[in-house]
Amino acid sequence: MKITGLKMFLGGDGSRPLRKQLSLTLAVVFTGSILVVILLLDQLFGWQAKDLINQRSVFFMDTMLAVRQYTSKQVNPVIAPLNEGGGAFRPEAVPSYSATTVFEYLRGSKPEYKEYSYREATLNPTNLKDKSDTFESEVIASFRSSPAQKVITGERNTPLGSYHFVARPIKVTSQSCLVCHSTPDRAPRSQILAYGDSNGFGWKIDEIVGAQIVSVPQNTVFRAKRESLLATVLLLAAVFSAVALVANSILNRLILQPMRLISKKAEEASVTPSTVSFTEKNRADEIGQLAKSFERMKQSLAISMQMLKDRQKP
Ligand code: HEC
């Protein structure tokens, strides 16, 4: 049963015309290979998409860290003295403020950044817009319970779509932070006036108070992946169809046409062998061999017929 199935598929059981057999075999081979290609490319494009998303989020996080650093090193020394005076508090001196503000500008600059997000989520923040939500609080709790952990990455499914996130802990690393984040009486008056004295205080040295979290949307990248896959499959199908057409025409020209001709001549030769000439016998290929065999058979037939005739003569 198995063998007959294989024979039918490869062609060789003679149950259908060669052209149909070739088309059937090619269709099975091509469909099979396209399916395998889809499976493999789906995996490969999937890895590539994930890698791209990961690269984007790491770059995004590094950029935000650089903005923070620039603010600490270059902007803060210039602006901080202003906050000591009685004037309005200048948040430009605060790294967290500059990072979130730069991000807002970035987000506003192009529609494709609309879904990106950068958060300095904090359990007890100075600016209440930095208050961690449930998901962010869980990430912070996980950093607090294992302080050696430097980064958490993962996927997050929300009603708006699926996101890849990268999170890093925010730790109170220097005593200078405690000026503004320990007790209200140590903080500049201007800060109290701007943010109040009830939140963003009580932080301790070496405490993990929050997490920087970048989120990058995955939907657009995965859509692009699906489109590439579809384009590749369509391209393969087009190439395979072209190959099938060419193979069919080669089969027709090389084998079927000469065979039909020889078969017609053989039929003629079975009645009047002397009028038929298998001219294809001069060919060097298998068709030539077939024609030579027929030519020999024709000659034998002619001799036999002649002998019969001679015998019938009185
Ligand atoms: C001059 C006072 C000052 C100093 C010094 C300071 N901060 Fe802040 N910090 C603030 C203010 C004010 C905000 C709120 C800024 C805003 O409006 O986004 C803030 C915000 C933050 C936030 C975002 C969450 C929140 O509370 O809104 C983090 C995290 C943070 N600071 C960490 C630190 C760390 C770590 C240090 C030390 C390296 C530090 N800060 C030093 C005043 C300060």
Side-chain angles (χ1 to χ4, degrees):
M1 186 62 206
K2 244 185 180 172
I3 304 262
T4 30
L6 190 68
K7 250 190 168 179
M8 202 178 93
F9 155 65
L10 289 175
D13 67 343
S15 63
R16 48 176 73 78
L18 286 181
R19 254 190 148 155
K20 276 199 178 153
Q21 183 61 58
L22 180 76
S23 304
L24 177 78
T25 309
L26 287 184
V28 172
V29 170
F30 289 170
T31 315
S33 15
I34 286 184
L35 283 179
V36 171
V37 166
I38 289 178
L39 280 178
L40 291 179
L41 282 187
D42 188 48
Q43 276 293 329
L44 183 72
F45 288 173
W47 288 329
Q48 282 178 342
K50 282 216 174 315
D51 193 47
L52 182 70
I53 292 167
N54 194 41
Q55 273 177 26
R56 275 188 192 172
S57 33
V58 168
F59 177 70
F60 182 13
M61 176 65 101
D62 289 344
T63 309
M64 288 299 132
L65 285 171
V67 173
R68 274 182 135 270
Q69 217 175 350
Y70 165 72
T71 312
S72 295
K73 292 197 169 151
Q74 302 203 12
V75 182
N76 185 282
V78 181
I79 309 274
L82 298 178
N83 286 336
E84 301 300 330
F89 185 78
R90 307 292 323 185
E92 291 84 352
V94 180
S96 134
Y97 173 85
S98 59
T100 43
T101 309
V102 166
F103 167 68
E104 285 308 327
Y105 280 116
L106 178 75
R107 204 157 92 114
S109 69
K110 278 188 187 170
E112 60 254 49
Y113 296 143
K114 263 268 158 302
E115 289 186 66
Y116 281 56
S117 109
Y118 173 75
R119 294 271 298 148
E120 296 217 355
T122 308
L123 296 173
N124 170 24
T126 314
N127 189 331
L128 289 176
K129 77 172 172 36
D130 296 325
K131 177 89 185 114
S132 53
D133 63 20
T134 324
F135 163 74
E136 293 164 342
S137 301
E138 276 170 24
V139 172
I140 299 167
S142 154
F143 281 128
R144 284 167 78 102
S145 63
S146 49
Q149 203 167 11
K150 290 282 166 273
V151 62
I152 295 179
T153 58
E155 270 178 39
R156 200 184 162 193
N157 288 309
T158 73
L160 292 175
S162 141
Y163 292 86
H164 176 79
F165 72 88
V166 176
R168 290 194 201 190
I170 300 177
K171 198 169 171 181
V172 181
T173 45
S174 104
Q175 286 291 344
S176 71
C177 314
L178 298 182
V179 175
C180 305
H181 291 295
S182 61
T183 51
D185 56 291
R186 287 182 68 188
R189 244 183 66 77
S190 53
Q191 181 191 331
I192 306 293
L193 283 174
Y195 297 91
D197 61 1
S198 54
N199 43 280
F201 297 107
W203 297 7
K204 308 251 165 356
I205 197 80
D206 282 343
E207 183 187 358
I208 289 168
V209 292
Q212 284 174 285
I213 305 178
V214 302
S215 301
V216 174
Q218 309 204 91
N219 292 3
T220 40
V221 177
F222 283 131
R223 196 177 315 127
K225 177 205 130 179
R226 281 196 299 276
E227 282 165 9
S228 312
L229 195 62
L230 186 70
T232 314
V233 168
L234 289 180
L235 198 73
L236 275 180
V239 169
F240 282 172
S241 310
V243 169
L245 281 178
V246 170
N248 232 304
S249 117
I250 289 177
L251 175 78
N252 195 36
R253 257 171 37 88
L254 284 185
I255 302 173
L256 298 184
Q257 271 178 6
M259 260 177 51
R260 269 187 224 114
L261 212 69
I262 291 180
S263 142
K264 217 175 111 204
K265 284 184 187 173
E267 221 159 277
E268 237 179 280
S270 68
V271 187
T272 52
S274 49
T275 61
V276 179
S277 169
F278 289 92
T279 41
E280 295 86 354
K281 64 180 185 276
N282 298 324
R283 290 172 61 145
D285 58 7
E286 286 81 354
I287 297 290
Q289 272 176 23
L290 188 69
K292 271 187 211 107
S293 310
F294 271 116
E295 184 66 31
R296 269 197 299 276
M297 207 164 88
K298 182 198 87 178
Q299 279 163 11
S300 314
L301 188 66
I303 292 170
S304 308
M305 280 173 142
Q306 194 55 50
M307 273 163 65
L308 266 177
K309 263 190 203 156
D310 288 350
R311 211 178 287 166
Q312 276 164 7
K313 277 183 192 158

